[in-house]
Amino acid sequence: ATLATLDRVLAGDHRSDANRARDDYRHPRQTLEFFGLKQDMTVMEVWPGGGGWYTEVLAPTLRERGKYIAASWDPKSTSKYVQDNSKKYADKLASRADVYDRAKVVALQAPNELKPVPDGSVDMVLTFRNIHSWMGNDAAQAMFDAMYAALKPGGILGVVEHRAKNDKPQDPKAESGYVRKDYAIGLATKSGFK
């Protein structure tokens, strides 16, 4: 049933042609199936960005039976980038109340906003291409700790990141935007994930 809902959502008119064209590269159906998404879960997506590419897929898939939570930037941030993209994201959600009216937006940004939801309250946490940004701000471990705290026991963490080659040391700031798989796994396991 979840995959049938997901197929309808992926073909929905709320998605732009440009975003739909990226499905060939991002493989949202396969990715979410691999993570074990079920349409009755409570799912927190960490840092959906101003465009909310995966929000277009997750929020309507979870709208009727589950719950979608967007854990975004700290609204008190003075960063122009954060302010501009937070507005862009809010405008996106407001543009299609029929699709996004049940989406909840909370703050999750180190060092000040690390408790976006009550501990142990979500079934799945997803984050797409964000680890390198957290590493650049020395916030990666704090973000993994917050994600671990948010999940119910036995909950699922789904991570997509640009993968660095294993034959070179990991830049601790990930300035290239790429992260070694073993480094990402190390961050997760240090927070308690298995």
Side-chain angles (χ1 to χ4, degrees):
T2 298
L3 293 177
T5 299
L6 190 53
D7 288 339
R8 283 192 302 277
V9 167
L10 288 169
D13 68 355
H14 67 288
R15 300 186 71 219
S16 69
D17 290 339
N19 282 358
R20 227 181 267 128
R22 298 210 43 117
D23 291 353
D24 287 342
Y25 306 101
R26 292 190 174 176
H27 309 287
R29 185 184 199 275
Q30 296 88 341
T31 300
L32 296 172
E33 182 180 12
F34 173 76
F35 289 149
L37 178 74
K38 302 288 184 235
Q39 63 186 340
D40 62 350
M41 288 179 159
T42 297
V43 177
M44 183 171 76
E45 180 188 6
V46 179
W47 283 25
W53 195 92
Y54 261 97
T55 299
E56 286 186 359
V57 179
L58 292 165
T61 298
L62 298 163
R63 185 174 180 271
E64 294 300 323
R65 297 186 183 163
K67 186 174 182 183
Y68 172 77
I69 303 165
S72 198
W73 300 292
D74 182 350
K76 297 179 293 295
S77 173
T78 58
S79 159
K80 181 168 175 25
Y81 175 85
V82 167
Q83 290 175 353
D84 290 350
N85 280 286
S86 294
K87 181 182 182 327
K88 182 178 173 186
Y89 188 71
D91 290 348
K92 179 185 190 77
L93 296 183
S95 73
R96 288 294 302 262
D98 60 316
V99 176
Y100 305 120
D101 61 332
R102 297 180 187 168
K104 180 179 179 183
V105 180
V106 296
L108 175 55
Q109 185 175 0
N112 300 319
E113 294 288 344
L114 293 169
K115 191 65 73 176
V117 295
D119 287 355
S121 63
V122 300
D123 300 298
M124 179 179 282
V125 174
L126 300 173
T127 188
F128 302 93
R129 296 169 310 281
N130 288 310
I131 298 173
H132 62 279
S133 296
W134 304 333
M135 289 169 62
N137 294 321
D138 294 321
Q141 199 61 63
M143 293 295 283
F144 272 93
D145 290 349
M147 292 186 293
Y148 184 81
L151 278 168
K152 294 175 182 176
I156 299 165
L157 171 66
V159 176
V160 174
E161 180 60 63
H162 297 293
R163 188 183 306 195
K165 294 180 180 179
N166 288 329
D167 60 353
K168 294 188 177 149
Q170 176 65 56
D171 169 11
K173 297 289 186 184
E175 290 183 17
S176 69
Y178 287 78
V179 180
R180 284 176 49 142
K181 180 180 173 183
D182 62 337
Y183 193 88
I185 290 171
L187 290 167
T189 55
K190 187 173 179 185
S191 294
F193 289 105
K194 291 183 171 58

